Amino acid sequence: MIALSLREIAEVVGGTVEGDDAVTVTAPAVLDGRRAEPGGLFVAFAGEQADGHDYAVQAGRAGAVAVLGSRATPLPTVVVPDARHALQRLAAHVVARLRGGLTVAGVTGSQGKTGTKDLLAAVLASAAPTTATTGSFNNELGVPLTMLRAGAADRYLVLEMGARHVGDIAALTGLVAPDIAVVLNVGRAHLGEFGSRGAIATAKSELVRGLAPGGTAVLNADDPRVAGMRSLTEGPVLTFGRSEHADVQVLYLALDRLGRPSFTLRTADASAVVALPLVGAHQALNAAAAAAAGLAAGVPLVAAASALATASLSKWRMELRDLAGGATLLNDSYNANPDSTRAALDALAAIEGGRRIAVLGEMLELGEASTAEHRAVGRYAAARADVVAVIGEAARPMADGAGERAVALADNDAAVDWLRGQLTAGDVVLVKASRGARLDEVAAALA
C-alpha cells in the first residue's frame, strides 16, 4: 500500500479522525486484527455476532497503527458512517494514483477463476512486480483489500472477481475498470442465487462491459455464452481454447501418471510447449487463459509458458499429497459446484493407482436444481471412481446417483474413521465439496 496519513485517508473517504491525524499507514488493510502488519490499517465492522472495534487493541499489538471504522477506538481512527463504502473509496483512490504505471487484469468465471488468477499472477510476475488476489478474496471486501496491497513498484494488479447476483461485478469494475478482462466460463455455480444460466452469463459479462477504454477482453472460445461477449466491447478481443478458431489454442493435450497435463499453446505467431505441475486436464484451459491475458499485457508466449511450468495454486485446490501407508490424497476441498466436481473426478480417474475413492460433500447454492444436480454428479462419480463416499444428509442424492458404489457417511468424523479403516497402499482419494461442508477437515485428518 502507498503511504497515506490519516488526514489524507479521512479526506478521501469523507470521514473524521479521532486521535493523531498525522499517523501514517504504510502497510495493507486487514479485516482480521490478528493478521495486521506493522504500519497497517485495521478495518472494523460492527456485526451481529461481534464488533470489530472491540479488537482494535489486538490489531495494534499485531502492528496496526490505525483503524477505519464507524466509531472511535483506542487506536487513531478514521470514523465514517459506512466502513465498507469507505474501504472501497480508499481502494479506488489508491489504484487511481498508481494507474499510470499499473495494468489491471480482472478474472471471472463460474469455475476455475482462482486457479487461473494464480496462473496469470505467475505469468505477469515473471515480467514485472505483481500483486494478486490472495486465495478467493473476490467480493465487495476482498477486491478492495487486494487493491490496497498494490504499491508504487507494481506494474500488474490481478483481481479475481466473483458474483452471487447480477450487478456484483459491475460494482467492482466501478471501483477499478480493468485493462484486461478474462471470462472463463458460464456454469452452474450459485445457480440457486441467480435463477438461470442466462442470469449467470449476464453477471459474468459485466466484467467485459466494465473494461477501461481500449481494454482487452480475453474470452473462452469453447463456451458459446462467453464467446458471445465479444459483441459487448469495441476494444481488442483475444480468445483461448481447444477450438481451431481460438487465438491461443490448446493442442496435443496429454496427462502423465499423476494426471498432470502437458500440451502446446499456439498462436498465429508462435507456439510453446507447457508442462504444468498441476493436476487435471482442465488446467490446460486455465493456463491458455492466463497466457492469452499475458499476451494482452505484453508477456510473450514463450515467457508465459516458462512461468506456467513452475506455477502453484492457492491452498486446497487440486493438492496432491502422499499419505502414510502409501495412499495418495487429492485435496480439492476449498469449494465445489457441479462442473468443478466433474473436473475433479476426471482428474481422479486420470491418476494411476489402485482404487479410486471419491469423498464428496454437499454442493451449495444450487436452488431447486440441487437434488437433480447432486444425483447427476453421483452418477458421474460412479463412472470414474471405485467407491463414492458421500458425507451428510444434504448430499445424499449423490449416493442415490452412485448406486452400488456409494457409501453414505453421517459427517466428517464418520468419514475420517471410515477412510482410516479402508485406505491401503496405492489408493487415490479425492476430497471435494462446497466450502460450507468443511471437507478440508477430512483432508487434514488424513494428512
Side-chain angles (χ1 to χ4, degrees):
M1 181 172 170
I2 62 175
L4 292 170
S5 71
L6 292 196
R7 185 184 309 112
E8 293 173 297
I9 292 174
E11 289 175 357
V12 169
V13 303
T16 59
V17 180
E18 294 289 336
D20 185 358
D21 65 2
V23 168
T24 299
V25 174
T26 59
V30 297
L31 304 185
D32 183 343
R34 295 168 296 182
R35 298 183 180 275
E37 300 177 21
L41 178 68
F42 174 51
V43 185
F45 291 92
E48 294 182 2
Q49 304 298 323
D51 187 342
H53 300 81
D54 295 337
Y55 297 91
V57 172
Q58 179 190 61
R61 286 196 294 265
V65 295
V67 174
L68 176 65
S70 56
R71 62 176 173 83
T73 74
L75 294 181
T77 305
V78 177
V79 179
V80 293
D82 185 336
R84 182 179 72 173
H85 180 61
L87 174 67
Q88 293 172 342
R89 287 181 63 179
L90 181 61
H93 171 79
V94 165
V95 172
R97 282 185 49 175
L98 298 172
R99 202 57 186 269
L102 188 69
T103 296
V104 179
V107 180
T108 196
S110 293
Q111 58 272 342
K113 54 184 174 290
T114 299
T116 303
K117 172 267 301 179
D118 292 335
L119 295 174
L120 177 55
V123 167
L124 297 179
S126 72
T130 300
T131 288
T133 301
T134 299
S136 295
F137 282 17
N138 60 25
N139 63 10
E140 72 280 3
L141 297 178
V143 169
L145 287 172
T146 304
M147 292 166 65
L148 287 173
R149 287 173 42 224
D154 285 323
R155 292 296 170 263
Y156 299 112
L157 175 62
V158 182
L159 298 171
E160 180 182 330
M161 294 187 175
R164 280 183 165 79
H165 309 90
V166 171
D168 285 353
I169 292 177
L172 297 176
T173 60
L175 302 179
V176 54
D179 302 294
I180 301 167
V182 182
V183 184
L184 299 171
N185 42 57
V186 174
R188 285 163 285 193
H190 312 306
L191 184 60
E193 299 287 341
F194 284 103
S196 71
R197 292 185 75 174
I200 295 172
T202 297
K204 302 306 180 186
S205 73
E206 292 168 5
L207 186 60
V208 177
R209 296 177 188 273
L211 273 166
T216 301
V218 177
L219 305 177
N220 185 349
D222 300 343
D223 187 323
R225 288 184 173 91
V226 176
M229 296 177 192
R230 177 187 291 269
S231 64
L232 302 179
T233 177
E234 296 180 355
V237 175
L238 282 174
T239 60
F240 64 92
R242 304 191 73 170
S243 165
E244 62 179 344
H245 304 296
D247 296 311
V248 178
Q249 186 182 15
V250 177
L251 296 168
Y252 316 126
L253 175 63
L255 301 177
D256 70 7
R257 55 180 290 276
L258 295 177
R260 298 173 301 195
S262 59
F263 49 92
T264 296
L265 293 178
R266 186 172 71 187
T267 69
D269 304 316
S271 66
V273 175
V274 180
L276 286 179
L278 312 173
V279 179
H282 62 286
Q283 304 289 0
L285 280 184
N286 294 343
L295 288 173
V299 180
L301 184 67
V302 173
S306 179
L308 290 168
T310 59
S312 60
L313 301 183
S314 299
K315 69 176 183 177
W316 303 338
R317 292 167 177 85
M318 303 304 286
E319 293 179 355
L320 198 63
R321 178 168 183 170
D322 292 332
L323 300 179
T328 300
L329 171 66
L330 181 59
N331 181 3
D332 198 34
S333 62
Y334 187 83
N335 215 340
N337 60 62
D339 298 305
S340 69
T341 303
R342 286 180 171 85
L345 288 163
D346 289 341
L348 172 67
I351 298 173
E352 294 181 9
R355 288 185 307 167
R356 293 171 177 84
I357 302 173
V359 181
L360 305 176
E362 184 181 10
M363 302 176 294
L364 296 169
E365 299 178 352
L366 294 175
E368 295 180 357
S370 181
T371 297
E373 293 287 359
H374 280 82
R375 187 175 290 115
V377 164
R379 288 194 296 270
Y380 197 87
R384 284 154 182 81
D386 300 291
V387 182
V388 181
V390 178
I391 302 177
E393 187 61 31
R396 185 59 184 262
M398 279 185 184
D400 297 337
E404 294 180 354
R405 299 205 171 189
V407 174
L409 301 164
D411 53 29
N412 289 353
D413 289 339
V416 171
D417 289 342
W418 181 83
L419 285 163
R420 284 175 172 163
Q422 286 287 319
L423 291 183
T424 60
D427 288 346
V428 185
V429 185
L430 167 69
V431 178
K432 179 77 171 171
S434 283
R435 187 76 197 96
R438 301 187 65 85
L439 259 62
D440 58 286
E441 298 173 347
V442 175
L446 295 179

